[in-house]
Amino acid sequence: DGVVGWVTVAGNQGITFLLPGGNVFKVVSPVELTEDVKETEGQGKVRILKEGEILEVMEWARTSSSALGITRVRAKAQGDGAIGWATTADSSGTVYLEALEVPTPSHV
């Protein structure tokens, strides 16, 4: 409808109101793929996701390791089919996964 404006993505209590659209993400910085949604350093690691890998998001979740929370996704790596949880960005602002834009069909 062409409407442009502002939205609140997350509330001050860490509640997420809006998540990135689409379900395909690209790894922009190496990050662990883990078996559990909770971040547990070194435990339950499936493998390290490498920069440039493409992931299909299967499920969204949040953890509360900080006041703002951290968004994690359960995803499947396109290359080897590995499935696990990965952090999209940490509380310090480091981005690990970015949503890929899906081209919209042109109307004729």
Side-chain angles (χ1 to χ4, degrees):
D1 64 9
V3 174
V4 177
W6 296 92
V7 298
T8 301
V9 177
N12 61 2
Q13 299 295 313
I15 298 170
T16 301
F17 299 123
L18 186 68
L19 293 170
N23 69 336
V24 179
F25 277 65
K26 181 178 181 179
V27 179
V28 294
S29 185
V31 64
E32 281 189 0
L33 186 66
T34 63
E35 294 172 354
D36 195 359
V37 66
K38 294 179 182 164
E39 289 186 288
T40 51
E41 294 248 348
Q43 297 178 353
K45 180 168 68 171
V46 175
R47 69 177 179 84
I48 298 288
L49 295 170
K50 298 176 188 162
E51 188 174 336
E53 284 192 74
I54 304 297
L55 304 174
E56 177 186 350
V57 175
M58 302 167 72
E59 186 177 344
W60 293 88
R62 282 186 66 80
T63 60
S64 56
S65 60
S66 75
L68 296 176
I70 295 174
T71 300
R72 291 181 43 87
V73 294
R74 183 169 182 261
K76 179 178 181 180
Q78 277 191 354
D80 64 359
I83 295 174
W85 292 91
T87 301
T88 59
D90 66 20
S91 58
S92 68
T94 303
V95 175
Y96 300 105
L97 309 176
E98 283 185 350
L100 290 180
E101 288 188 31
V102 178
T104 56
S106 58
H107 299 293
V108 179

